[in-house]
């Protein structure tokens, strides 16, 4: 099943299958965030098509895509700083309609990230960088997304937290989530992904399974430091 | 008993409390700056006055229709406000205020410069209500506005407004229809201003365009900002303090606009959360005191 196909001005085309963990790696400024923001509907591509579960959603605004089950963890941990942790999470459940589901999803998020439970009544901005990242991921998860978009989740985190965040991503994948992961940290990304694309200045130059990409000499030289 | 003068002042303050609370829904909760709130007060006042003097409506239906009309106009005028943010929104809403005031001033149907007179106070059980009765009516309307305010804030609407205020793009990515909630804020806030305008018209018994000008909008905004924008207590306390000030001191009355202008400047520079907002000196001091007192109890 094809989850989405995206063709930007540069002729970027890729797809994410149900239950897949796909990564797009590339240097800073290669256009990775642009792709995710276009899939979420925060940017309109000038040409090309975005298909989600067989339907053309290219012209659909972001809030309707969110209701279809697309969820973005934006770059730079953009949580709502003046709202409490719980309010942030409740907003993540906005796409669910049933009050019972909301409570169950909040509980699931708190058991996945116990630190957040302890800070439920604190304002988002009082959390540490790592905790804010957890909140950003949790907020995306509580809406039970069909497709989770992760934009540079490792950026600016301490190495131990990077490790922890990728463990979480792996766990989510094992539980059946469909994930599109955009990363500068190619080594980490390829270690968790099933398939990958290499993006260079707005064009996809290479694609394959994560193992194939990790073994590719060009990828090794450019992104894996050897 | 309260003297007639004190009751008059209290009614005026009460009407300002309604105006401040309704502006707070738009600017405080939904985060959409408005420099034209008096326009909607004017639309309510003129609707009520015209229905009463020309269409033989009694006060009560005129009062509710005033709220509906102001709310509906607010919803329509929200549309040009949707595409602009912050400073452009401030200028757009200011422009709306000037257009509305000019319409009252130049269109003969609205009484032009002469305004509309002969608007009597409400009648209840066959006789005009007394001034203390009017004060009771204003208090009842305030209570209703506070009840609606609390209900909104505890519902999804309040949470959606907060998300839009903090990060409009993130709110959209979470599935919130930003346009719908912004229009809702402008509609409800404008309806509240319309109700206040109707009370104002039937209290003063005559209205003129100048009552609903840009200066009046600044007075209302000053009250919200002074008390603490985005809280319930802030606009209430702001309206009471700044509404009473010109009555207590003569110079404050004469230099009112100047005083409020300076006050807004000082607040933005030193206390952007007002006197009772979350980060204000008073509220932070109060929390600090309580935290110091807490260990002593144990």
């Amino acid at each position: 099943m094809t989850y989405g196909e995206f063709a930007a001005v540069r002729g970027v085309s890729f797809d994410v299958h149900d239950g897949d963990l796909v990564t797009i790696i590339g240097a800073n400024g290669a256009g990775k965030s642009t792709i995710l923001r276009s899939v979420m509907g925060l940017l309109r591509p000038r040409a090309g098509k975005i298909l989600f579960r067989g339907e053309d959603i290219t012209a659909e605004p972001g809030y309707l895509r969110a209701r279809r089950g697309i969820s973005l963890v934006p770059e730079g941990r953009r949580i709502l700083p003046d709202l409490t942790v719980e309010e942030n999470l409740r907003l993540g459940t906005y796409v669910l309609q049933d009050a019972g589901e909301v409570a169950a999803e909040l509980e699931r998020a708190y058991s996945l990230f116990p630190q957040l439970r302890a800070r439920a009544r604190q304002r988002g901005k009082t959390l540490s960088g790592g905790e804010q990242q957890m909140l950003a991921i949790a907020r995306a998860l509580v809406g039970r997304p069909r497709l989770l978009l992760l934009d540079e989740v490792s950026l600016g985190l301490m190495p131990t937290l990077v490790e922890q965040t990728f463990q979480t991503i792996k766990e989510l994948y094992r539980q059946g989530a469909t994930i599109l992961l955009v990363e500068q940290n190619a080594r980490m990304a390829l270690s968790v992904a099933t398939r990958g694309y290499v993006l260079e200045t707005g064009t996809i130059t290479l694609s394959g399974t994560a193992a194939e990409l990790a073994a590719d000499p060009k990828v090794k030289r450019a992104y894996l430091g050897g | 008993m309260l003297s007639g003068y004190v009751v008059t002042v209290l009614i005026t303050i009460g009407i300002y409390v309604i105006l401040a609370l309704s502006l707070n829904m738009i600017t405080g909760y939904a985060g959409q700056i408005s420099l034209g709130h008096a326009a909607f007060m004017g639309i309510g006042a003129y609707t009520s006055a015209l229905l009463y003097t020309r269409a033989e409506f009694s006060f009560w239906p005129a009062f509710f229709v005033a709220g509906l009309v102001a709310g509906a106009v607010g919803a329509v005028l929200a549309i040009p406000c949707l595409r602009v943010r912050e400073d452009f929104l401030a200028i757009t809403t200011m422009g709306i205020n000037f257009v509305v005031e000019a319409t009252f001033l130049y269109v003969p149907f609205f009484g032009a410069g002469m305004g509309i007179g002969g608007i009597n106070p409400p009648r209840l059980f066959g006789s005009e209500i007394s001034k203390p009765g009017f004060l009771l009516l204003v208090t009842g309307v305030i209570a209703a506005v506070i009840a609606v305010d609390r209900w909104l804030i505890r519902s999804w609407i309040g949470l959606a407004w907060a998300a839009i205020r903090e990060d409009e793009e993130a709110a959209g990515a979470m599935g919130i229809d930003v346009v719908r909630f912004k229009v809702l804020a402008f509609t409800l806030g404008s309806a509240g201003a319309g109700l206040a305008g109707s009370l104002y018209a039937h209290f003063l018994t005559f209205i003129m365009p100048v009552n609903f000008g840009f200066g009046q909008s600044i007075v209302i905004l000053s009250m919200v900002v002074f008390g603490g924008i985005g809280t319930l207590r802030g606009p209430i306390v702001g309206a009471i303090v700044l509404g009473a000030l010109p009555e207590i001191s003569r110079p404050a009355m004469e230099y009112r606009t100047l005083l409020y202008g300076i006050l807004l400047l000082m607040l933005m520079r030193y206390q952007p959360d007002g006197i009772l907002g979350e980060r204000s000196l008073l509220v932070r001091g109060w929390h600090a005191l309580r935290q110091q007192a807490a260990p002593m109890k144990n």
Side-chain angles (χ1 to χ4, degrees):
Chain A
M1 191 193 333
T2 300
Y3 249 118
E5 185 180 5
F6 176 81
V9 206
R10 294 294 210 130
V12 172
S13 182
F14 65 91
D15 38 39
V16 181
H17 301 280
D18 203 356
D20 231 358
L21 201 177
V22 175
T23 184
I24 299 175
I25 57 174
N28 204 2
K32 304 189 300 296
S33 290
T34 308
I35 291 175
L36 286 198
R37 290 168 60 78
S38 303
V39 175
M40 189 67 239
L42 304 175
L43 290 175
R44 270 305 143 76
R46 247 173 289 169
K49 258 202 243 174
I50 302 166
L51 301 178
F52 184 69
R53 297 166 70 84
E55 281 180 76
D56 189 345
I57 57 164
T58 318
E60 210 169 67
Y63 75 92
L64 290 179
R65 297 193 199 185
R67 291 179 193 179
R68 280 181 187 270
I70 302 180
S71 188
L72 170 70
V73 177
E75 190 182 345
R77 305 186 276 284
R78 274 174 59 182
I79 55 158
L80 303 171
D82 275 320
L83 298 188
T84 66
V85 169
E86 177 125 354
E87 284 168 335
N88 267 280
L89 290 177
R90 292 194 79 83
L91 277 164
T93 65
Y94 185 82
V95 289
L96 307 173
Q97 290 306 325
D98 187 338
E101 276 180 66
V102 172
E105 284 303 317
L106 290 187
E107 187 47 44
R108 203 165 70 98
Y110 285 142
S111 48
L112 191 60
F113 302 105
Q115 289 105 310
L116 294 182
R117 191 197 299 273
R119 304 196 184 283
R121 307 240 161 265
Q122 273 179 241
R123 280 172 194 255
K125 65 184 172 195
T126 66
L127 303 186
S128 70
E131 287 166 341
Q132 288 188 18
Q133 185 63 278
M134 286 174 205
L135 178 55
I137 296 175
R139 191 182 70 190
L141 286 177
V142 289
R144 285 219 222 115
R146 292 172 186 278
L147 174 62
L148 183 61
L149 308 170
L150 296 168
D151 193 357
E152 304 281 11
V153 283
S154 72
L155 204 68
L157 287 185
M158 292 190 303
T160 52
L161 282 174
V162 173
E163 190 75 40
Q164 199 185 332
T165 307
F166 275 92
Q167 281 307 318
T168 309
I169 294 170
K170 226 166 159 175
E171 185 53 40
L172 292 171
Y173 166 65
R174 255 190 238 119
Q175 290 172 10
T178 304
I179 300 172
L180 176 57
L181 173 71
V182 144
E183 264 294 333
Q184 246 181 295
N185 189 338
R187 186 184 302 278
M188 286 304 280
L190 290 175
S191 76
V192 294
T194 50
R195 289 189 307 119
Y197 294 87
V198 177
L199 189 72
E200 280 171 348
T201 56
T203 320
I204 284 176
T205 52
L206 211 60
S207 67
T209 66
E212 283 166 10
L213 289 182
D216 188 277
K218 270 199 298 190
V219 173
K220 271 187 172 170
R221 206 172 331 111
Y223 302 104
L224 302 176
Chain B
M1 272 308 284
L2 300 172
S3 75
Y5 170 70
V6 172
V7 174
T8 301
V9 171
L10 287 178
I11 291 170
T12 311
I13 290 174
I15 292 172
Y16 274 122
V17 169
I18 301 167
L19 289 165
L21 283 172
S22 57
L23 176 60
N24 190 47
M25 285 181 194
I26 302 170
T27 305
Y29 298 150
Q32 306 303 303
I33 179 84
S34 170
L35 295 182
H37 205 54
F40 300 97
M41 176 196 183
I43 289 165
Y46 272 84
T47 304
S48 199
L50 288 170
L51 287 174
Y52 183 83
T53 58
R54 309 243 179 99
E56 313 215 329
F57 272 57
S58 72
F59 165 78
W60 305 100
F63 171 71
F64 288 106
V65 174
L68 288 177
V69 170
V73 176
V76 172
L77 291 184
I79 293 162
C81 297
L82 293 175
R83 296 211 154 266
V84 291
R85 285 182 209 177
E86 284 143 27
D87 40 355
F88 288 101
L89 180 58
I91 293 167
T92 306
T93 52
M94 194 203 273
I96 286 173
N97 202 158
F98 283 123
V99 170
V100 169
E101 190 191 356
T103 308
F104 295 149
L105 188 57
Y106 296 115
V107 177
F109 177 73
F110 295 113
M114 300 291 290
I116 299 174
I119 317 158
N120 296 319
R123 297 176 76 85
L124 195 65
F125 306 122
S127 59
E128 247 175 42
I129 63 171
S130 61
K131 271 195 178 174
F134 201 101
L135 180 57
L136 218 63
L137 168 64
V138 171
T139 312
V141 175
I142 293 174
V145 172
I146 291 175
V148 171
D149 180 292
R150 286 301 86 186
W151 178 80
L152 287 168
I153 283 312
R154 294 204 184 100
S155 72
W156 275 110
I157 299 170
L159 205 50
W161 280 346
I164 292 168
R165 180 185 67 217
E166 299 249 316
D167 190 336
E168 211 175 299
E169 189 180 278
M174 286 186 283
I176 292 163
D177 185 348
V178 172
V179 167
R180 210 177 101 209
F181 282 102
K182 276 193 190 176
V183 170
L184 183 66
F186 276 106
T187 308
L188 291 177
S190 304
L195 294 179
S198 170
L199 290 170
Y200 183 85
H202 288 267
F203 178 60
L204 283 193
T205 69
F206 72 94
I207 51 172
M208 299 217 300
V210 68
N211 302 140
F212 314 108
F214 176 61
Q216 184 75 281
S217 291
I218 294 302
V219 168
I220 303 166
L221 183 64
S222 302
M223 290 168 170
V224 176
V225 172
F226 175 77
I229 195 162
T231 63
L232 174 65
R233 58 183 181 256
I236 297 174
V237 172
I240 292 171
V241 174
L242 296 192
L245 203 62
E247 305 298 337
I248 295 165
S249 125
R250 199 75 227 160
M253 173 73 104
E254 278 164 24
Y255 298 104
R256 203 172 163 185
T257 317
L258 175 70
L259 204 71
Y260 287 2
I262 292 173
L263 193 70
L264 266 184
L265 280 175
M266 302 292 279
L267 282 166
M268 284 299 126
R269 174 67 185 80
Y270 298 106
Q271 286 278 280
D273 259 15
I275 57 166
L276 292 173
E278 282 304 320
R279 275 160 302 195
S280 66
L281 275 178
L282 273 176
V283 171
R284 276 193 319 205
W286 167 247
H287 284 316
L289 271 177
R290 273 183 32 181
Q291 270 177 4
Q292 275 187 355
M296 282 181 230
K297 269 190 261 170
N298 295 335

